[in-house]
């Protein structure tokens, strides 16, 4: 079972460093979708991560930004951000918490939803 309490560094410096390393490894100038993995609720509330994603988009290094979220509330917060093009949340036959509220809001905002743990 994965550790949902593990923390990651989503600071502007780390995201930029990681992106530059990926661009170098991939030998390309841009990445189509730059997906953040499990930022904490506090990180999302603070909002710096969204400003960083917007800066990376404006620089042309990423085309779209996505966020893999631990909770539906985190995904709902991300859907409201103009820099976010997709969110990934747990959606399956047993866990449909995201369906009633997130799916309509994501659709209205033009944000793609990626099913996490679909089986």
């Amino acid at each position: 079972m994965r550790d949902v309490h593990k923390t990651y560094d989503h600071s502007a410096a780390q995201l930029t460093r990681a992106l530059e390393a990926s661009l170098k490894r991939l030998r390309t100038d841009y990445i189509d979708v730059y997906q953040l993995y499990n930022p904490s609720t506090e990180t999302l509330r603070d909002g710096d991560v969204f400003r960083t994603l917007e800066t990376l988009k404006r620089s042309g290094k990423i085309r779209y930004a996505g966020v893999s979220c631990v909770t539906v509330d985190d995904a709902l917060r991300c859907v409201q951000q103009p820099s976010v093009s997709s969110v990934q949340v747990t959606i399956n036959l047993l866990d449909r918490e995201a369906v009633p509220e997130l799916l309509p809001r994501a659709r209205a905002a033009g944000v793609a939803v990626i099913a996490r743990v679909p089986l």
Side-chain angles (χ1 to χ4, degrees):
M1 182 154 204
R2 74 184 169 94
D3 182 6
V4 295
H5 301 291
K6 184 174 180 180
T7 59
Y8 299 90
D9 183 354
H10 292 97
S11 67
Q14 176 57 28
L15 291 177
T16 303
R17 214 175 8 259
L19 176 62
E20 293 295 339
S22 293
L23 292 172
K24 185 175 181 179
R25 279 192 311 275
L26 295 168
R27 295 184 215 156
T28 188
D29 297 328
Y30 66 91
I31 290 176
D32 287 317
V33 179
Y34 193 54
Q35 180 104 354
L36 303 185
Y37 182 71
N38 287 2
S40 68
T41 300
E42 293 76 28
T43 297
L44 297 175
R45 275 191 199 132
D46 174 60
D48 283 343
V49 71
F50 301 118
R51 288 184 284 281
T52 300
L53 292 173
E54 190 58 42
T55 298
L56 295 173
K57 284 172 81 171
R58 278 194 311 255
S59 74
K61 295 188 183 224
I62 65 173
R63 289 190 175 176
Y64 301 98
V67 183
S68 181
C69 299
V70 175
T71 69
V72 173
D73 286 340
D74 287 349
L76 287 166
R77 180 171 281 106
C78 291
V79 163
Q80 298 172 18
Q81 301 299 320
S83 58
V84 175
S85 300
S86 67
V87 293
Q88 184 179 34
V89 293
T90 300
I91 299 177
N92 57 50
L93 289 173
L94 300 176
D95 187 346
R96 300 180 50 77
E97 179 186 358
V99 173
E101 193 171 359
L102 177 63
L103 293 185
R105 287 191 186 188
R107 182 178 208 162
V111 174
V113 175
I114 303 168
R116 183 177 188 168
V117 195
L119 300 175

